[in-house]
Amino acid sequence: MLVTNINVIGANLFHSPLRGTIDMVMLFQLIAVAFACSVTLIIGKHIRVEILVTKLPQCVQAITASIISLLTLGLFVLIIWRLCVLGYSFQTGGETTATAHIPIYPFAYGVAFASIPVCLVILHEFLSSLARVIKR
Amino acid sequence: MSPVTTGIIGIGVLIIMFLLRMPIAFAMALVGFAGFAYLSTPGAALGLLARDIFEQFSSYPLSVIPMFILMGSFAFAVGISRRLYDTAYTWVGQLRGGLTIATVLACAGFGAICGSSTATAATMGKIALPEMKRYNYDDTLATGTVAAAGTLGILIPPSTVLIVFGILTEESIGKLFIAGVFPGLLLSLLFALTVYFICLRNPTLGPSGAPTSWRKKAVALTGIIETLALFALAIGGLFAGLFSPTMAGAVGAAGALIIGLARRKLTWQTFFEAAKDGLQTSCMVLFILAGATVFGHFMAISRIPFELAEWLEGLPLPTMGIVGIIVFIFFIGGFFMDAMAMIVLLIPIFYPVLTALNVDLIWFGVIVVLVGEMGVITPPVGVNVFVIKGIAPDIPIEKIFKGIFPFLYALIICTIILMAFPQIATFLPGFASY
């Protein structure tokens, strides 16, 4: 927001836009969103459909929660792995942003790193629901 | 197995994942990845998964979403919503159901600086529900009004749903925003009339408040100056071609902060809380879009959208009849999905049909938002109703759902009017330069 406003003021008042604004906005957004994901997951802000599961018996709820957590964990493990591969390809290919020429590969590794807490949150959800299944 | 059959099975699996409470974003990414891997190669799907997520998170066109979400969060944090409500109440409080009409008007006003229906419902619910309780308003009417009027947040610009629609269909976000103005005003009027007639038939549901003098009314108008200024700055700048959508959102968010500073309502704590809330909501929306992109690639390779387009085009129906069928599918989808999820899932499927039929996508975007509004207040997945239940935990959810039905009729009437007179939505975009 700050970068965009500096650019707006610079471009409109001083005819001197901030160089690389688009690159900076893109990269800030990437990092901010990636690192916010685990907290968003913890506070339950990701939209879920609640109509069916809440009507099922507690035991069935725990079993479905375990399966879903396991599938989600698998998805995020794949995401982390492939983001590292993507980061490596950016690194070896020397890919940079279009105008400010900022190297992109640290950001791909950064998003992969930010996904590790997401995996931990999902793993915790999986273990909790598994414990609920075993208790019953 | 043919690609189309695989695609249909994929949609079925996706619905099962939704019903098993998997977050919508993750379900779309997982099913999209698995389906793409089956129809092409696992290697190609693995490459697609990481690249889609990376590209969506770092997409400059999508940066408009966090900017407008931040603008709404900051506007709430610095008390603009409270002042809007006070102004509306001073003007219409003495009417039957005055507090509920004031809630509708305040929601419309807050919708002009906030692009989310849940945020509008939550914001106004926190302010209006205790007031209505104090004046012995009927719980069903009070909660139903806030849940329904909150949906104005995604119709009156700015609108996160219209932004996402614009990105998915490559339509101008500025034109989509401006197209929502007249329909938003029409719907606000229909909601206010709905409340008025309900209270005219049964005055005990919404007793009138104390009358206020014209002098007091005139003074109260200062409460909407900030909203008008923010709207003129962000949406006006966008409409005039001064700003890109991202710039408009950023300028609006900065404007809300400056208002907070000028009014001495902005502290470090409110700033961080609002920024944190805005970031989390943005994360949720961008993840849905990333998941939808992966799923969209699967749908494209399955050829379902193209087969569906050919089938619908071949139907012996006029264009409006086919559009009616599509709108009906969105309406049914709205029962089970949030407006945002519905749009990211269904638009890629129906986009080829709509373009083949030469449907005005700006107009269709407004229609889809109206249908999405019905979805966020109807059972079983009425997100706004759940938000209101969170604010008023003592009121049974069935009561809130009962309260939204008169407003559902208003929404249906508004949709029919817009289908009969598309000019209501398409008139203003003709003047937009961005």
Side-chain angles (χ1 to χ4, degrees):
Chain A
M1 185 193 84
L2 184 68
V3 171
T4 309
N5 276 289
I6 293 171
N7 180 47
V8 168
I9 294 167
N12 289 312
L13 298 183
F14 306 107
H15 300 288
S16 157
L18 185 64
R19 195 170 159 269
T21 300
I22 291 179
D23 298 358
M24 280 188 271
V25 169
M26 282 163 51
L27 296 176
F28 282 145
Q29 176 178 285
L30 176 73
I31 290 300
V33 169
F35 278 89
C37 191
S38 53
V39 182
T40 311
L41 196 61
I42 291 169
I43 62 166
K45 211 154 186 168
H46 283 291
I47 300 173
R48 297 171 195 248
V49 176
E50 307 273 354
I51 45 171
L52 182 70
V53 170
T54 48
K55 290 182 175 58
L56 296 173
Q58 288 291 320
C59 180
V60 182
Q61 280 191 36
I63 293 169
T64 57
S66 315
I67 296 167
I68 291 300
S69 304
L70 198 61
L71 286 172
T72 314
L73 184 63
L75 174 73
F76 270 89
V77 169
L78 284 179
I79 289 172
I80 292 174
W81 169 41
R82 295 312 298 185
L83 278 168
C84 289
V85 173
L86 186 69
Y88 184 70
S89 74
F90 286 156
Q91 191 176 359
T92 50
E95 284 206 41
T96 60
T97 58
T99 47
H101 303 297
I102 303 165
I104 302 175
Y105 76 89
F107 295 92
Y109 290 141
V111 178
F113 179 71
S115 302
I116 295 171
V118 180
C119 284
L120 295 177
V121 173
I122 300 165
L123 185 65
H124 176 257
E125 277 180 12
F126 171 66
L127 294 175
S128 308
S129 43
L130 204 62
R132 273 163 46 216
V133 175
I134 293 164
K135 262 185 200 169
R136 285 169 186 275
Chain B
M1 203 188 302
S2 76
V4 173
T5 313
T6 311
I8 292 168
I9 291 172
I11 293 172
V13 173
L14 183 70
I15 293 168
I16 292 169
M17 295 285 184
F18 283 175
L19 292 175
L20 291 180
R21 225 179 147 265
M22 189 178 215
I24 280 166
F26 305 162
M28 286 195 286
L30 184 65
V31 176
F33 162 73
F36 196 90
Y38 180 79
L39 289 177
S40 60
T41 62
L46 283 167
L48 182 87
L49 183 66
R51 193 168 278 277
D52 275 353
I53 289 172
F54 187 85
E55 283 178 359
Q56 292 303 305
F57 281 10
S58 62
S59 157
Y60 183 73
L62 289 187
S63 62
V64 61
I65 295 171
M67 298 300 178
F68 275 109
I69 289 174
L70 273 178
M71 178 176 159
S73 293
F74 290 149
F76 169 63
V78 301
I80 292 176
S81 46
R82 169 93 242 178
R83 291 189 283 280
L84 264 176
Y85 184 76
D86 290 344
T87 305
Y89 181 58
T90 311
W91 274 82
V92 295
Q94 71 276 21
L95 298 175
R96 278 183 190 168
L99 274 173
T100 35
I101 297 174
T103 305
V104 171
L105 298 181
C107 281
F110 195 64
I113 47 173
C114 173
S116 150
S117 68
T118 44
T120 307
T123 303
M124 285 304 159
K126 282 178 207 157
I127 300 165
L129 288 176
E131 292 289 315
M132 290 196 261
K133 205 169 188 64
R134 195 151 65 91
Y135 285 93
N136 289 321
Y137 271 59
D138 177 64
D139 286 342
T140 306
L141 175 70
T143 50
T145 305
V146 185
T151 64
L152 289 167
I154 52 169
L155 182 58
I156 297 176
S159 158
T160 47
V161 176
L162 281 175
I163 293 170
V164 172
F165 181 88
I167 290 164
L168 293 172
T169 58
E170 295 177 357
E171 287 295 322
S172 155
I173 291 170
K175 285 185 178 176
L176 280 164
F177 273 5
I178 226 70
V181 172
F182 284 158
L185 293 176
L186 174 68
L187 187 61
S188 308
L189 180 70
L190 288 171
F191 279 169
L193 286 173
T194 303
V195 172
Y196 184 72
F197 285 118
I198 288 172
C199 296
L200 204 65
R201 278 181 60 189
N202 189 352
T204 56
L205 296 178
S208 23
T212 49
S213 66
W214 281 105
R215 188 184 145 76
K216 217 172 175 183
K217 282 187 170 68
V219 173
L221 277 180
T222 54
I224 60 165
I225 290 173
E226 300 153 341
T227 304
L228 286 177
L230 267 187
F231 185 80
L233 183 70
I235 308 300
L238 179 65
F239 188 46
L242 290 174
F243 310 134
S244 68
T246 299
M247 286 176 177
V251 168
L257 287 179
I258 291 166
I259 290 169
L261 280 174
R263 284 195 166 266
R264 296 178 186 278
K265 293 278 183 192
L266 189 68
T267 61
W268 279 111
Q269 198 192 346
T270 51
F271 172 76
F272 278 119
E273 284 300 317
K276 194 174 79 181
D277 184 61
L279 181 60
Q280 286 162 355
T281 308
S282 305
C283 174
M284 178 268 288
V285 175
L286 289 182
F287 230 113
I288 287 181
L289 286 171
T293 309
V294 180
F295 190 75
H297 281 124
F298 166 46
M299 282 291 102
I301 201 174
S302 77
R303 293 201 47 81
I304 282 184
F306 312 106
E307 297 284 340
L308 191 68
E310 275 175 29
W311 177 72
L312 280 169
E313 273 181 272
L315 285 177
L317 287 171
T319 302
M320 229 21 194
I322 296 170
V323 171
I325 292 173
I326 296 172
V327 170
F328 184 71
I329 294 170
F330 273 85
F331 177 69
I332 299 296
F335 284 107
F336 305 99
M337 276 178 278
D338 171 75
M340 185 72 77
M342 183 180 75
I343 280 176
V344 292
L345 183 67
L346 295 182
I347 287 296
I349 295 176
F350 289 107
Y351 180 61
V353 188
L354 295 163
T355 44
L357 292 171
N358 279 326
V359 173
D360 185 334
L361 287 170
I362 300 283
W363 166 78
F364 188 76
V366 175
I367 294 285
V368 162
V369 167
L370 279 168
V371 177
E373 286 186 60
M374 295 177 205
V376 296
I377 56 170
T378 44
V381 189
V383 182
N384 270 22
V385 172
F386 299 139
V387 167
I388 299 304
K389 172 71 183 163
I391 297 168
D394 53 319
I395 299 170
I397 200 140
E398 300 79 33
K399 247 187 176 184
I400 311 175
F401 273 126
K402 197 178 153 201
I404 60 96
F405 275 98
F407 300 98
L408 189 61
Y409 299 136
L411 268 164
I412 292 170
I413 291 169
C414 189
T415 311
I416 292 169
I417 292 174
L418 265 171
M419 288 189 88
F421 305 102
Q423 299 84 352
I424 298 171
T426 57
F427 174 69
L428 280 182
F431 299 99
S433 57
Y434 200 93

